[in-house]
Amino acid sequence: MESQNNTVVTELILLGLTQSREIQLLVFVLISVFYLIILPGNFFIILTIRSDPALTAPLYFFLGSLAFLHASYSFTVAPRMLVDFLSEKKIISYRGCITQLFFLHFLGGGEGLLLVVMAFDHYIAPCWPLHYSTVKSPRACNVMLLALWLGGFPHSIIQVALILRLPFCGPNQLDNFFCDVLQVIKLACLDTFVVELLMVFSSGLMTLLCFLGLLASYGAILCHVCGSSPEGKNMAMSRCTTHVIVIFLMFGPGIFIYTHTFRAFPADKVVSLFHAVIFPILKPVIYTLHYQEVKASMKKLFNQHIGENGMGESGLSNTI
């Protein structure tokens, strides 16, 4: 495929997570089991929030959006990775690689902005309770949700645009299990030092803005609850701890990967595995565990579903 940017590479070869066949099969089984257990939980969170009239507060609206976003993110890398585990030669087309890069950064950027919006929600609730219903009206929530999706789009377009301008005319092997943006850039047939700096700056700027926004929100919350009752202080501390864990799961691997851009480490693939495959579907579950209302509603919905199935089986048995 030759175009105006002199791209002649039509496909890329992924070397995968490891060359050991035994380890590949082990990871395949572990990830498959993990997805069969945790991924349906994310969809169950969405179903619960959508079906329960009691869960209409902005907090639950954004929690359902987070579960949907992470469920979508989990489909950008994991399915192809599982297929590649069973393939001798792991090949992805150039266009497929660009598409994967786009959605990785599009959904990743949206996730960072959504965490900022959720932190803002937690700040408004205790600090400005009289204005909460106005600031977080259904219309305002929908506008914020649209804004974070639109915010992830330019971030992703910048990453893709920088790559599309590069000529790829020789090496086509990526020492990874997915199209890592920095490794793709290094395959270009020219000096990519400036492009790599621009890529790191683009990703780093958005990450830094989101991180500072999160720190400011939770710092303000902790300052506000210092003079509150012990019960309110304990609740705020518990929720802040949960959110800090999720923030660490999101920003920690990214900071590790992008702080040594020009040098590869053996741990990079393992960190990328957790960052791109495991953590995306685990974060909404961690959030949900600290909201008793959601857990109670999920249990009620689950018991109702089991009860209906039980009645159906009982009726069938009586008919027979």
Side-chain angles (χ1 to χ4, degrees):
M1 181 182 67
E2 186 166 358
S3 59
Q4 293 180 352
N5 65 356
N6 297 322
T7 298
V8 296
V9 172
T10 59
E11 61 184 25
L12 300 172
I13 299 175
L14 302 175
L15 299 183
L17 183 65
T18 176
Q19 299 301 313
S20 171
R21 190 65 177 173
E22 292 75 14
I23 297 179
Q24 287 186 25
L25 292 176
L26 176 61
V27 175
F28 173 84
V29 173
L30 291 176
I31 294 179
S32 299
V33 172
F34 187 80
Y35 264 63
L36 289 175
I37 296 175
I38 304 297
L39 186 59
N42 283 336
F43 290 109
F44 193 53
I45 292 172
I46 300 172
L47 177 63
T48 301
I49 294 175
R50 295 282 295 178
S51 61
D52 193 340
L55 302 178
T56 57
L59 170 65
Y60 306 120
F61 173 77
F62 291 124
L63 182 61
S65 301
L66 182 70
F68 174 77
L69 190 149
H70 281 133
S72 302
Y73 189 93
S74 66
F75 286 109
T76 59
V77 174
R80 183 175 192 91
M81 177 185 179
L82 292 175
V83 172
D84 286 341
F85 274 142
L86 304 178
S87 306
E88 290 295 333
K89 198 171 184 180
K90 305 166 180 59
I91 298 176
I92 184 172
S93 67
Y94 175 78
R95 292 183 178 180
C97 183
I98 296 299
T99 302
Q100 187 181 71
L101 284 173
F102 172 82
F103 282 105
L104 278 173
H105 289 274
F106 174 61
L107 297 173
E111 176 192 2
L113 294 174
L114 179 56
L115 290 177
V116 173
V117 171
M118 294 180 71
F120 180 67
D121 176 84
H122 285 81
Y123 166 75
I124 293 293
C127 301
W128 296 49
L130 298 179
H131 300 278
Y132 185 78
S133 59
T134 302
V135 177
K136 285 304 182 71
S137 64
R139 180 178 180 180
C141 291
N142 288 324
V143 171
M144 290 181 183
L145 187 63
L146 178 62
L148 69 91
W149 282 106
L150 294 178
F153 183 78
H155 167 69
S156 182
I157 284 295
I158 291 174
Q159 312 294 309
V160 172
L162 288 174
I163 294 178
L164 289 177
R165 295 177 62 86
L166 297 174
F168 295 92
C169 53
N172 67 338
Q173 288 189 346
L174 294 175
D175 188 17
N176 217 322
F177 56 90
F178 71 107
C179 284
D180 177 67
V181 61
L182 294 175
Q183 290 190 17
V184 173
I185 290 176
K186 292 178 180 179
L187 296 180
C189 303
L190 49 75
D191 186 2
T192 59
F193 180 80
V194 175
V195 179
E196 290 180 61
L197 286 181
L198 290 174
M199 190 71 72
V200 172
F201 176 77
S202 173
S203 298
L205 180 61
M206 185 169 190
T207 301
L208 179 62
L209 292 176
C210 291
F211 187 65
L212 292 178
L214 291 168
L215 287 182
S217 296
Y218 291 122
I221 293 172
L222 292 177
C223 291
H224 179 80
V225 301
C226 284
S228 62
S229 63
E231 293 79 7
K233 186 182 299 185
N234 291 335
M235 180 179 295
M237 289 296 295
S238 176
R239 290 190 174 182
C240 284
T241 301
T242 303
H243 299 161
V244 169
I245 292 174
V246 173
I247 292 170
F248 174 78
L249 294 181
M250 176 184 176
F251 292 103
I255 292 173
F256 174 82
I257 293 172
Y258 284 99
T259 50
H260 58 275
T261 306
F262 304 103
R263 183 181 177 186
F265 288 101
D268 287 353
K269 290 184 181 181
V270 178
V271 174
S272 297
L273 174 66
F274 281 93
H275 182 57
V277 179
I278 303 298
F279 289 158
I281 59 175
L282 192 60
K283 295 173 195 173
V285 177
I286 297 175
Y287 260 115
T288 306
L289 291 177
H290 279 262
Y291 296 107
Q292 298 297 328
E293 299 85 355
V294 180
K295 289 194 294 184
S297 183
M298 291 177 67
K299 184 177 180 181
K300 179 181 177 181
L301 183 62
F302 180 77
N303 291 336
Q304 181 181 354
H305 178 71
I306 295 297
E308 290 177 353
N309 287 344
M311 291 178 62
E313 292 174 359
S314 176
L316 181 60
S317 301
N318 292 333
T319 302
I320 295 176

